[in-house]
């Protein structure tokens, strides 16, 4: 009986979430803590919104990991500067163009340039690279994921042709932030930068790791409320996966199931947002990846880093980047997506309401 009342209450929260596209912090916490009670119903709601808005289309982005050098020392990340085991490389402009040409030949119209915060990669170089990519493939969308930058730099990237920027806030809670990052990092700068990106007209992406060490349900609720306020066009969330050589190497991975649940909550909150089924989710569970695509995620990011470098960009252990996670195996990915009842699409996939 008590259980039934509880279920009714959580169902009421689901209805409220559907109508208001948000909840109070305490309500989000209740929803997260009792997810087993209403998972089926919530997935149903999320799937309806997902199918209605994206018509079972999955947009692909070619992910080029441009540098594994990083000046930051985030405790979770395999390419943190103190990880002496990490292999370091920096792609040359020509290597990047080569990958863009290859991706273009495969039909990609959207590329993500991701890298550590590499002081050896100058703004000028990146600006030239952005311009040249737009010459190679004028139709393409360019997404940057290169960490914290000043307003002026972001403006220059934008003027050169960058369309989108991904910068996960990682966690909104300050205490939690400093359990994941050393004190020389500045959470406020990161949060302000997300505002800058919006002001500059970037399609802006943010997000978190699910199950990062010390994360609580309250933290996740705060993250959901932060995202509500920011209203990003893209949301990237994936489970935390330990990385050898980091302070968190012996921590447990985040839950793939909880990740899928949060993806569904996000789809209900942000019916039109571009939400990928992330590589870290695919790394932990193919079933969860497929479920995510079925009910919430409309983006997939096959790896388009040169194969001879791909193993050297290890944000976490055993990263999925060959097999269907590889751009060169796009056909196989297409089959998997068909198997889920969806269709792989090579369009830019811009945000639209
Ligand atoms: N597990 C999962 N995701 C990670 N990232 C960094 N390290 C890890 C890890 N160990 C994520 C961060 C970052 C994004 C590029 O990769 O959230 O923003």
């Amino acid at each position: 009986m008590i259980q039934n009342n509880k279920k009714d209450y959580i169902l009421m929260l689901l209805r409220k979430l559907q109508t208001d596209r948000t909840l109070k912090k305490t309500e989000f916490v209740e929803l997260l803590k009792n997810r087993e009670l209403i998972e089926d119903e919530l997935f149903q709601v999320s799937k309806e919104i997902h199918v209605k808005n994206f018509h079972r289309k999955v947009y692909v982005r070619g992910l080029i990991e441009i540098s594994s050098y990083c000046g930051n020392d985030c405790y979770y990340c395999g390419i943190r500067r103190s990880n002496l085991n990490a292999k370091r490389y920096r792609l040359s402009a020509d290597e990047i163009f080569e990958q863009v040409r290859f991706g273009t030949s495969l039909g990609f119209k959207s590329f993500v340039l991701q890298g550590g915060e590499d002081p050896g990669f100058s703004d000028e170089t990146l600006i030239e690279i952005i311009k040249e990519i737009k010459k190679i493939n004028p139709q393409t969308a360019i997404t940057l994921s290169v960490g914290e930058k000043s307003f002026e730099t972001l403006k220059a990237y934008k003027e050169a042709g960058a369309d989108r920027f991904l910068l996960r806030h990682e966690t909104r809670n300050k205490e939690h932030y400093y359990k994941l990052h050393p004190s020389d990092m500045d959470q406020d700068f990161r949060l302000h930068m997300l505002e800058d990106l919006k002001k500059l007209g970037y399609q802006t992406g943010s997000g978190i790791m699910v199950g990062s060490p010390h994360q609580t349900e309250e933290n996740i609720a705060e993250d959901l409320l932060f995202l509500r306020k920011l209203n990003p066009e893209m949301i990237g969330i994936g489970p935390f996966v330990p990385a050898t050589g980091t302070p968190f190497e012996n921590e447990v991975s985040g839950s793939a199931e909880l990740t899928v649940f949060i993806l569904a909550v996000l789809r209900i909150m942000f019916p039109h947002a571009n939400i990928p089924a992330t590589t870290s989710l695919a790394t932990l569970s193919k079933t969860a990846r497929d479920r995510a695509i079925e009910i919430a995620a409309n983006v997939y990011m096959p790896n388009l880093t040169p194969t001879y470098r791909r193993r050297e960009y290890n944000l976490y252990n055993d990263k999925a980047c060959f097999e269907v996670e590889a751009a060169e195996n796009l056909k196989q990915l297409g089959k998997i997506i068909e198997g889920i009842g969806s269709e792989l699409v090579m369009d830019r996939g811009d945000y639209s309401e």
Side-chain angles (χ1 to χ4, degrees):
M1 194 57 203
I2 289 170
Q3 192 70 357
N4 260 343
N5 286 343
K6 188 86 193 182
K7 182 165 176 171
D8 287 345
Y9 172 61
I10 306 297
L11 273 176
M12 186 276 286
L13 292 182
L14 171 59
R15 301 291 161 238
K16 187 169 175 213
L17 179 66
Q18 234 180 310
T19 320
D20 299 353
R21 309 249 176 248
T22 192
L23 292 175
K24 289 195 199 124
K25 181 175 162 186
T26 49
E27 294 172 333
F28 271 130
V29 171
E30 282 296 304
L31 188 72
L32 290 164
K33 287 192 169 159
N34 295 287
R35 70 184 158 96
E36 280 89 0
L37 290 181
I38 51 124
E39 210 158 48
D40 293 344
E41 290 87 346
L42 189 131
F43 287 172
Q44 191 58 39
V45 172
S46 163
K47 187 175 174 179
E48 267 166 35
I49 297 172
H50 181 53
V51 172
K52 181 171 152 244
N53 290 325
F54 293 102
H55 314 284
R56 297 182 190 267
K57 289 186 176 160
V58 178
Y59 296 85
V60 287
R61 329 280 192 212
L63 174 65
I64 307 175
E65 294 150 334
I66 60 174
S67 172
S68 67
Y69 286 93
C70 192
N72 284 339
D73 224 9
C74 310
Y75 302 144
Y76 46 84
C77 186
I79 64 166
R80 70 196 298 264
R81 68 163 187 259
S82 305
N83 187 357
L84 300 179
N85 300 320
K87 296 220 174 79
R88 307 292 175 177
Y89 71 87
R90 179 180 305 125
L91 297 186
S92 68
D94 283 338
E95 285 178 297
I96 295 173
F97 302 149
E98 181 63 30
Q99 293 314 110
V100 170
R101 280 191 207 98
F102 175 53
T104 301
S105 76
L106 293 169
F108 281 89
K109 293 193 185 65
S110 174
F111 296 96
V112 179
L113 305 183
Q114 185 178 96
E117 290 191 20
D118 177 0
F121 221 113
S122 72
D123 292 344
E124 292 69 34
T125 308
L126 194 49
I127 286 166
E128 287 316 309
I129 289 171
I130 294 166
K131 287 185 183 159
E132 185 60 27
I133 292 177
K134 287 273 165 147
K135 282 192 197 145
I136 296 173
N137 186 342
Q139 291 179 308
T140 197
I142 300 178
T143 305
L144 301 178
S145 175
V146 291
E148 296 176 13
K149 304 285 169 187
S150 70
F151 185 86
E152 288 66 36
T153 298
L154 295 173
K155 188 160 176 276
Y157 293 162
K158 187 84 181 46
E159 284 163 2
D163 303 278
R164 310 173 185 162
F165 204 110
L166 301 170
L167 182 78
R168 292 190 183 170
H169 67 285
E170 314 294 358
T171 176
R172 177 62 188 85
N173 182 280
K174 205 169 197 90
E175 252 170 64
H176 186 220
Y177 187 86
Y178 288 104
K179 286 179 182 167
L180 302 180
H181 304 95
S183 57
D184 65 354
M185 287 184 71
D186 183 353
Q187 187 193 28
D188 291 336
F189 183 91
R190 207 170 179 86
L191 300 176
H192 280 135
M193 183 178 142
L194 287 164
E195 301 293 340
D196 288 347
L197 289 167
K198 289 284 237 173
K199 274 187 216 139
L200 286 163
Y202 278 97
Q203 290 174 51
T204 303
S206 200
I208 61 165
M209 290 175 289
V210 175
S212 60
H214 311 291
Q215 184 183 58
T216 62
E217 276 97 353
E218 282 75 12
N219 295 152
I220 299 175
E222 289 165 320
D223 292 322
L224 293 171
L225 286 168
F226 170 72
L227 291 170
R228 180 68 288 162
K229 219 164 125 205
L230 178 69
N231 220 6
E233 287 78 20
M234 308 179 287
I235 304 170
I237 69 155
F240 160 77
V241 181
T244 305
T246 66
F248 292 161
E249 65 180 354
N250 294 320
E251 299 287 335
V252 290
S253 291
S255 151
E257 289 70 34
L258 178 58
T259 304
V260 175
F261 184 82
I262 298 173
L263 283 169
V265 170
L266 289 167
R267 175 53 73 216
I268 298 171
M269 293 173 72
F270 302 91
H272 302 280
N274 283 319
I275 302 182
T278 55
T279 309
S280 68
L281 184 61
T283 298
L284 283 193
S285 160
K286 308 291 172 210
T287 321
R289 172 198 65 193
D290 293 357
R291 190 89 173 110
I293 293 171
E294 194 189 341
I295 63 161
N298 68 311
V299 172
Y300 210 72
M301 294 162 55
N303 196 302
L304 189 56
T305 305
T307 47
Y308 53 89
R309 289 298 186 204
R310 230 175 257 179
R311 288 250 183 258
E312 298 173 7
Y313 191 82
N314 280 325
L315 301 186
Y316 46 83
N317 298 340
D318 304 318
K319 179 188 75 172
C321 57
F322 289 98
E323 307 182 349
V324 301
E325 272 67 41
E328 60 273 19
N329 298 330
L330 201 63
K331 287 216 169 82
Q332 265 171 266
L333 176 67
K335 289 213 176 84
I336 292 205
I337 289 183
E338 253 175 56
I340 305 167
S342 298
E343 176 200 358
L344 198 145
V345 184
M346 305 302 291
D347 295 348
R348 280 171 59 112
D350 282 295
Y351 180 86
S352 78
E353 288 188 4

PDB file of all heavy atoms in Angstrom, residues 96-125:
ATOM      1  N   ILE A  96      44.482  16.718 -39.773  1.00  0.00           N
ATOM      2  CA  ILE A  96      43.064  17.015 -39.526  1.00  0.00           C
ATOM      3  C   ILE A  96      42.317  17.137 -40.863  1.00  0.00           C
ATOM      4  O   ILE A  96      41.239  16.555 -41.034  1.00  0.00           O
ATOM      5  CB  ILE A  96      42.915  18.294 -38.672  1.00  0.00           C
ATOM      6  CG1 ILE A  96      43.521  18.055 -37.285  1.00  0.00           C
ATOM      7  CG2 ILE A  96      41.440  18.707 -38.559  1.00  0.00           C
ATOM      8  CD1 ILE A  96      43.596  19.291 -36.402  1.00  0.00           C
ATOM      9  N   PHE A  97      42.926  17.841 -41.821  1.00  0.00           N
ATOM     10  CA  PHE A  97      42.256  18.001 -43.126  1.00  0.00           C
ATOM     11  C   PHE A  97      42.046  16.643 -43.797  1.00  0.00           C
ATOM     12  O   PHE A  97      41.018  16.398 -44.424  1.00  0.00           O
ATOM     13  CB  PHE A  97      43.071  18.923 -44.055  1.00  0.00           C
ATOM     14  CG  PHE A  97      43.298  20.288 -43.465  1.00  0.00           C
ATOM     15  CD1 PHE A  97      44.445  21.016 -43.765  1.00  0.00           C
ATOM     16  CD2 PHE A  97      42.362  20.854 -42.598  1.00  0.00           C
ATOM     17  CE1 PHE A  97      44.653  22.267 -43.206  1.00  0.00           C
ATOM     18  CE2 PHE A  97      42.558  22.107 -42.039  1.00  0.00           C
ATOM     19  CZ  PHE A  97      43.715  22.810 -42.336  1.00  0.00           C
ATOM     20  N   GLU A  98      43.053  15.799 -43.659  1.00  0.00           N
ATOM     21  CA  GLU A  98      42.968  14.453 -44.230  1.00  0.00           C
ATOM     22  C   GLU A  98      41.732  13.723 -43.673  1.00  0.00           C
ATOM     23  O   GLU A  98      40.966  13.093 -44.413  1.00  0.00           O
ATOM     24  CB  GLU A  98      44.263  13.691 -43.855  1.00  0.00           C
ATOM     25  CG  GLU A  98      44.385  12.286 -44.383  1.00  0.00           C
ATOM     26  CD  GLU A  98      44.418  12.242 -45.899  1.00  0.00           C
ATOM     27  OE1 GLU A  98      44.898  13.225 -46.511  1.00  0.00           O
ATOM     28  OE2 GLU A  98      43.929  11.243 -46.473  1.00  0.00           O
ATOM     29  N   GLN A  99      41.532  13.843 -42.366  1.00  0.00           N
ATOM     30  CA  GLN A  99      40.385  13.167 -41.734  1.00  0.00           C
ATOM     31  C   GLN A  99      39.067  13.803 -42.176  1.00  0.00           C
ATOM     32  O   GLN A  99      38.073  13.121 -42.375  1.00  0.00           O
ATOM     33  CB  GLN A  99      40.506  13.220 -40.206  1.00  0.00           C
ATOM     34  CG  GLN A  99      41.665  12.411 -39.633  1.00  0.00           C
ATOM     35  CD  GLN A  99      41.780  11.028 -40.220  1.00  0.00           C
ATOM     36  OE1 GLN A  99      42.710  10.736 -40.977  1.00  0.00           O
ATOM     37  NE2 GLN A  99      40.835  10.155 -39.900  1.00  0.00           N
ATOM     38  N   VAL A 100      39.088  15.134 -42.338  1.00  0.00           N
ATOM     39  CA  VAL A 100      37.869  15.816 -42.787  1.00  0.00           C
ATOM     40  C   VAL A 100      37.538  15.384 -44.223  1.00  0.00           C
ATOM     41  O   VAL A 100      36.378  15.130 -44.555  1.00  0.00           O
ATOM     42  CB  VAL A 100      38.019  17.350 -42.688  1.00  0.00           C
ATOM     43  CG1 VAL A 100      36.868  18.061 -43.384  1.00  0.00           C
ATOM     44  CG2 VAL A 100      38.098  17.769 -41.221  1.00  0.00           C
ATOM     45  N   ARG A 101      38.573  15.253 -45.061  1.00  0.00           N
ATOM     46  CA  ARG A 101      38.325  14.800 -46.444  1.00  0.00           C
ATOM     47  C   ARG A 101      37.777  13.384 -46.441  1.00  0.00           C
ATOM     48  O   ARG A 101      36.829  13.066 -47.152  1.00  0.00           O
ATOM     49  CB  ARG A 101      39.623  14.842 -47.262  1.00  0.00           C
ATOM     50  CG  ARG A 101      39.933  16.223 -47.738  1.00  0.00           C
ATOM     51  CD  ARG A 101      41.061  16.237 -48.782  1.00  0.00           C
ATOM     52  NE  ARG A 101      41.711  17.533 -48.704  1.00  0.00           N
ATOM     53  CZ  ARG A 101      42.836  17.777 -48.022  1.00  0.00           C
ATOM     54  NH1 ARG A 101      43.467  16.804 -47.397  1.00  0.00           N
ATOM     55  NH2 ARG A 101      43.314  19.001 -47.964  1.00  0.00           N
ATOM     56  N   PHE A 102      38.370  12.545 -45.608  1.00  0.00           N
ATOM     57  CA  PHE A 102      37.895  11.162 -45.522  1.00  0.00           C
ATOM     58  C   PHE A 102      36.442  11.139 -45.033  1.00  0.00           C
ATOM     59  O   PHE A 102      35.582  10.481 -45.624  1.00  0.00           O
ATOM     60  CB  PHE A 102      38.813  10.359 -44.586  1.00  0.00           C
ATOM     61  CG  PHE A 102      38.354   8.960 -44.328  1.00  0.00           C
ATOM     62  CD1 PHE A 102      38.068   8.097 -45.391  1.00  0.00           C
ATOM     63  CD2 PHE A 102      38.187   8.479 -43.025  1.00  0.00           C
ATOM     64  CE1 PHE A 102      37.629   6.801 -45.156  1.00  0.00           C
ATOM     65  CE2 PHE A 102      37.747   7.189 -42.783  1.00  0.00           C
ATOM     66  CZ  PHE A 102      37.474   6.348 -43.849  1.00  0.00           C
ATOM     67  N   GLY A 103      36.171  11.900 -43.988  1.00  0.00           N
ATOM     68  CA  GLY A 103      34.808  11.962 -43.454  1.00  0.00           C
ATOM     69  C   GLY A 103      33.826  12.493 -44.492  1.00  0.00           C
ATOM     70  O   GLY A 103      32.713  11.976 -44.638  1.00  0.00           O
ATOM     71  N   THR A 104      34.272  13.513 -45.231  1.00  0.00           N
ATOM     72  CA  THR A 104      33.419  14.095 -46.266  1.00  0.00           C
ATOM     73  C   THR A 104      33.103  13.042 -47.336  1.00  0.00           C
ATOM     74  O   THR A 104      31.963  12.938 -47.800  1.00  0.00           O
ATOM     75  CB  THR A 104      34.118  15.326 -46.891  1.00  0.00           C
ATOM     76  OG1 THR A 104      34.362  16.260 -45.833  1.00  0.00           O
ATOM     77  CG2 THR A 104      33.246  15.984 -47.952  1.00  0.00           C
ATOM     78  N   SER A 105      34.104  12.226 -47.664  1.00  0.00           N
ATOM     79  CA  SER A 105      33.873  11.180 -48.669  1.00  0.00           C
ATOM     80  C   SER A 105      32.868  10.142 -48.155  1.00  0.00           C
ATOM     81  O   SER A 105      32.160   9.514 -48.933  1.00  0.00           O
ATOM     82  CB  SER A 105      35.188  10.503 -49.066  1.00  0.00           C
ATOM     83  OG  SER A 105      35.600   9.609 -48.036  1.00  0.00           O
ATOM     84  N   LEU A 106      32.802  10.004 -46.850  1.00  0.00           N
ATOM     85  CA  LEU A 106      31.817   9.066 -46.265  1.00  0.00           C
ATOM     86  C   LEU A 106      30.434   9.706 -46.147  1.00  0.00           C
ATOM     87  O   LEU A 106      29.458   9.034 -45.837  1.00  0.00           O
ATOM     88  CB  LEU A 106      32.265   8.620 -44.868  1.00  0.00           C
ATOM     89  CG  LEU A 106      33.529   7.761 -44.766  1.00  0.00           C
ATOM     90  CD1 LEU A 106      33.980   7.650 -43.318  1.00  0.00           C
ATOM     91  CD2 LEU A 106      33.293   6.379 -45.355  1.00  0.00           C
ATOM     92  N   GLY A 107      30.378  11.030 -46.343  1.00  0.00           N
ATOM     93  CA  GLY A 107      29.088  11.721 -46.299  1.00  0.00           C
ATOM     94  C   GLY A 107      28.866  12.577 -45.059  1.00  0.00           C
ATOM     95  O   GLY A 107      27.812  13.185 -44.896  1.00  0.00           O
ATOM     96  N   PHE A 108      29.859  12.648 -44.166  1.00  0.00           N
ATOM     97  CA  PHE A 108      29.689  13.452 -42.941  1.00  0.00           C
ATOM     98  C   PHE A 108      29.503  14.925 -43.275  1.00  0.00           C
ATOM     99  O   PHE A 108      30.198  15.468 -44.130  1.00  0.00           O
ATOM    100  CB  PHE A 108      30.920  13.315 -42.029  1.00  0.00           C
ATOM    101  CG  PHE A 108      30.956  12.045 -41.230  1.00  0.00           C
ATOM    102  CD1 PHE A 108      31.549  10.891 -41.731  1.00  0.00           C
ATOM    103  CD2 PHE A 108      30.399  11.998 -39.965  1.00  0.00           C
ATOM    104  CE1 PHE A 108      31.586   9.711 -40.990  1.00  0.00           C
ATOM    105  CE2 PHE A 108      30.433  10.829 -39.213  1.00  0.00           C
ATOM    106  CZ  PHE A 108      31.028   9.688 -39.736  1.00  0.00           C
ATOM    107  N   LYS A 109      28.576  15.559 -42.557  1.00  0.00           N
ATOM    108  CA  LYS A 109      28.390  17.013 -42.704  1.00  0.00           C
ATOM    109  C   LYS A 109      28.518  17.711 -41.356  1.00  0.00           C
ATOM    110  O   LYS A 109      28.036  18.825 -41.157  1.00  0.00           O
ATOM    111  CB  LYS A 109      27.015  17.312 -43.313  1.00  0.00           C
ATOM    112  CG  LYS A 109      26.884  16.839 -44.747  1.00  0.00           C
ATOM    113  CD  LYS A 109      25.657  17.413 -45.405  1.00  0.00           C
ATOM    114  CE  LYS A 109      25.457  16.852 -46.806  1.00  0.00           C
ATOM    115  NZ  LYS A 109      25.173  15.385 -46.783  1.00  0.00           N
ATOM    116  N   SER A 110      29.122  17.018 -40.442  1.00  0.00           N
ATOM    117  CA  SER A 110      29.277  17.563 -39.099  1.00  0.00           C
ATOM    118  C   SER A 110      30.520  16.942 -38.459  1.00  0.00           C
ATOM    119  O   SER A 110      30.647  15.722 -38.398  1.00  0.00           O
ATOM    120  CB  SER A 110      28.012  17.216 -38.297  1.00  0.00           C
ATOM    121  OG  SER A 110      28.153  17.591 -36.965  1.00  0.00           O
ATOM    122  N   PHE A 111      31.435  17.823 -38.053  1.00  0.00           N
ATOM    123  CA  PHE A 111      32.677  17.345 -37.434  1.00  0.00           C
ATOM    124  C   PHE A 111      32.854  17.982 -36.058  1.00  0.00           C
ATOM    125  O   PHE A 111      32.540  19.156 -35.869  1.00  0.00           O
ATOM    126  CB  PHE A 111      33.889  17.700 -38.304  1.00  0.00           C
ATOM    127  CG  PHE A 111      33.859  17.022 -39.649  1.00  0.00           C
ATOM    128  CD1 PHE A 111      33.347  17.686 -40.757  1.00  0.00           C
ATOM    129  CD2 PHE A 111      34.308  15.719 -39.806  1.00  0.00           C
ATOM    130  CE1 PHE A 111      33.293  17.068 -42.007  1.00  0.00           C
ATOM    131  CE2 PHE A 111      34.252  15.090 -41.043  1.00  0.00           C
ATOM    132  CZ  PHE A 111      33.738  15.761 -42.144  1.00  0.00           C
ATOM    133  N   VAL A 112      33.340  17.179 -35.142  1.00  0.00           N
ATOM    134  CA  VAL A 112      33.654  17.687 -33.801  1.00  0.00           C
ATOM    135  C   VAL A 112      35.160  17.622 -33.622  1.00  0.00           C
ATOM    136  O   VAL A 112      35.759  16.555 -33.792  1.00  0.00           O
ATOM    137  CB  VAL A 112      32.979  16.830 -32.702  1.00  0.00           C
ATOM    138  CG1 VAL A 112      33.334  17.365 -31.312  1.00  0.00           C
ATOM    139  CG2 VAL A 112      31.476  16.778 -32.897  1.00  0.00           C
ATOM    140  N   LEU A 113      35.771  18.768 -33.324  1.00  0.00           N
ATOM    141  CA  LEU A 113      37.199  18.779 -33.004  1.00  0.00           C
ATOM    142  C   LEU A 113      37.325  18.810 -31.495  1.00  0.00           C
ATOM    143  O   LEU A 113      36.911  19.771 -30.853  1.00  0.00           O
ATOM    144  CB  LEU A 113      37.888  20.014 -33.604  1.00  0.00           C
ATOM    145  CG  LEU A 113      37.739  20.251 -35.108  1.00  0.00           C
ATOM    146  CD1 LEU A 113      38.545  21.480 -35.528  1.00  0.00           C
ATOM    147  CD2 LEU A 113      38.193  19.034 -35.915  1.00  0.00           C
ATOM    148  N   GLN A 114      37.842  17.726 -30.936  1.00  0.00           N
ATOM    149  CA  GLN A 114      37.969  17.665 -29.477  1.00  0.00           C
ATOM    150  C   GLN A 114      39.419  17.483 -29.077  1.00  0.00           C
ATOM    151  O   GLN A 114      40.161  16.770 -29.745  1.00  0.00           O
ATOM    152  CB  GLN A 114      37.144  16.507 -28.916  1.00  0.00           C
ATOM    153  CG  GLN A 114      37.153  16.504 -27.397  1.00  0.00           C
ATOM    154  CD  GLN A 114      36.296  15.392 -26.806  1.00  0.00           C
ATOM    155  OE1 GLN A 114      36.787  14.330 -26.461  1.00  0.00           O
ATOM    156  NE2 GLN A 114      35.010  15.646 -26.690  1.00  0.00           N
ATOM    157  N   GLY A 115      39.803  18.136 -27.987  1.00  0.00           N
ATOM    158  CA  GLY A 115      41.160  17.948 -27.502  1.00  0.00           C
ATOM    159  C   GLY A 115      41.313  18.450 -26.089  1.00  0.00           C
ATOM    160  O   GLY A 115      40.428  19.127 -25.555  1.00  0.00           O
ATOM    161  N   GLY A 116      42.431  18.116 -25.487  1.00  0.00           N
ATOM    162  CA  GLY A 116      42.765  18.659 -24.180  1.00  0.00           C
ATOM    163  C   GLY A 116      43.050  20.145 -24.321  1.00  0.00           C
ATOM    164  O   GLY A 116      43.110  20.673 -25.439  1.00  0.00           O
ATOM    165  N   GLU A 117      43.207  20.811 -23.184  1.00  0.00           N
ATOM    166  CA  GLU A 117      43.572  22.234 -23.234  1.00  0.00           C
ATOM    167  C   GLU A 117      45.068  22.313 -23.493  1.00  0.00           C
ATOM    168  O   GLU A 117      45.869  22.303 -22.573  1.00  0.00           O
ATOM    169  CB  GLU A 117      43.146  22.941 -21.941  1.00  0.00           C
ATOM    170  CG  GLU A 117      41.642  23.065 -21.864  1.00  0.00           C
ATOM    171  CD  GLU A 117      41.160  23.970 -20.747  1.00  0.00           C
ATOM    172  OE1 GLU A 117      41.931  24.807 -20.235  1.00  0.00           O
ATOM    173  OE2 GLU A 117      39.975  23.820 -20.366  1.00  0.00           O
ATOM    174  N   ASP A 118      45.404  22.345 -24.770  1.00  0.00           N
ATOM    175  CA  ASP A 118      46.780  22.197 -25.228  1.00  0.00           C
ATOM    176  C   ASP A 118      47.366  23.554 -25.586  1.00  0.00           C
ATOM    177  O   ASP A 118      47.008  24.141 -26.601  1.00  0.00           O
ATOM    178  CB  ASP A 118      46.769  21.264 -26.450  1.00  0.00           C
ATOM    179  CG  ASP A 118      48.143  21.098 -27.061  1.00  0.00           C
ATOM    180  OD1 ASP A 118      49.113  21.691 -26.556  1.00  0.00           O
ATOM    181  OD2 ASP A 118      48.237  20.354 -28.063  1.00  0.00           O
ATOM    182  N   PRO A 119      48.284  24.071 -24.743  1.00  0.00           N
ATOM    183  CA  PRO A 119      48.872  25.387 -25.023  1.00  0.00           C
ATOM    184  C   PRO A 119      49.653  25.373 -26.336  1.00  0.00           C
ATOM    185  O   PRO A 119      49.868  26.429 -26.936  1.00  0.00           O
ATOM    186  CB  PRO A 119      49.816  25.628 -23.843  1.00  0.00           C
ATOM    187  CG  PRO A 119      49.530  24.552 -22.850  1.00  0.00           C
ATOM    188  CD  PRO A 119      48.861  23.427 -23.555  1.00  0.00           C
ATOM    189  N   GLY A 120      50.056  24.211 -26.792  1.00  0.00           N
ATOM    190  CA  GLY A 120      50.801  24.107 -28.052  1.00  0.00           C
ATOM    191  C   GLY A 120      49.913  24.233 -29.278  1.00  0.00           C
ATOM    192  O   GLY A 120      50.401  24.264 -30.403  1.00  0.00           O
ATOM    193  N   PHE A 121      48.607  24.250 -29.047  1.00  0.00           N
ATOM    194  CA  PHE A 121      47.662  24.408 -30.153  1.00  0.00           C
ATOM    195  C   PHE A 121      47.190  25.856 -30.112  1.00  0.00           C
ATOM    196  O   PHE A 121      46.292  26.186 -29.341  1.00  0.00           O
ATOM    197  CB  PHE A 121      46.476  23.454 -29.944  1.00  0.00           C
ATOM    198  CG  PHE A 121      46.031  22.789 -31.200  1.00  0.00           C
ATOM    199  CD1 PHE A 121      46.184  21.419 -31.372  1.00  0.00           C
ATOM    200  CD2 PHE A 121      45.453  23.537 -32.211  1.00  0.00           C
ATOM    201  CE1 PHE A 121      45.790  20.792 -32.538  1.00  0.00           C
ATOM    202  CE2 PHE A 121      45.055  22.919 -33.384  1.00  0.00           C
ATOM    203  CZ  PHE A 121      45.222  21.549 -33.551  1.00  0.00           C
ATOM    204  N   SER A 122      47.784  26.720 -30.896  1.00  0.00           N
ATOM    205  CA  SER A 122      47.475  28.149 -30.741  1.00  0.00           C
ATOM    206  C   SER A 122      46.109  28.483 -31.316  1.00  0.00           C
ATOM    207  O   SER A 122      45.580  27.764 -32.161  1.00  0.00           O
ATOM    208  CB  SER A 122      48.545  29.001 -31.432  1.00  0.00           C
ATOM    209  OG  SER A 122      48.386  28.891 -32.831  1.00  0.00           O
ATOM    210  N   ASP A 123      45.557  29.594 -30.853  1.00  0.00           N
ATOM    211  CA  ASP A 123      44.279  30.073 -31.387  1.00  0.00           C
ATOM    212  C   ASP A 123      44.391  30.288 -32.889  1.00  0.00           C
ATOM    213  O   ASP A 123      43.482  29.950 -33.645  1.00  0.00           O
ATOM    214  CB  ASP A 123      43.890  31.407 -30.727  1.00  0.00           C
ATOM    215  CG  ASP A 123      43.557  31.216 -29.256  1.00  0.00           C
ATOM    216  OD1 ASP A 123      43.338  30.064 -28.847  1.00  0.00           O
ATOM    217  OD2 ASP A 123      43.531  32.230 -28.536  1.00  0.00           O
ATOM    218  N   GLU A 124      45.529  30.848 -33.293  1.00  0.00           N
ATOM    219  CA  GLU A 124      45.716  31.157 -34.721  1.00  0.00           C
ATOM    220  C   GLU A 124      45.649  29.876 -35.545  1.00  0.00           C
ATOM    221  O   GLU A 124      45.006  29.823 -36.593  1.00  0.00           O
ATOM    222  CB  GLU A 124      47.084  31.847 -34.963  1.00  0.00           C
ATOM    223  CG  GLU A 124      47.201  33.243 -34.375  1.00  0.00           C
ATOM    224  CD  GLU A 124      47.244  33.261 -32.842  1.00  0.00           C
ATOM    225  OE1 GLU A 124      47.811  32.310 -32.251  1.00  0.00           O
ATOM    226  OE2 GLU A 124      46.696  34.194 -32.229  1.00  0.00           O
ATOM    227  N   THR A 125      46.307  28.833 -35.054  1.00  0.00           N
ATOM    228  CA  THR A 125      46.284  27.555 -35.780  1.00  0.00           C
ATOM    229  C   THR A 125      44.858  27.037 -35.888  1.00  0.00           C
ATOM    230  O   THR A 125      44.404  26.643 -36.967  1.00  0.00           O
ATOM    231  CB  THR A 125      47.154  26.500 -35.041  1.00  0.00           C
ATOM    232  OG1 THR A 125      48.435  27.067 -34.818  1.00  0.00           O
ATOM    233  CG2 THR A 125      47.269  25.219 -35.826  1.00  0.00           C
TER     234      THR A 125
END
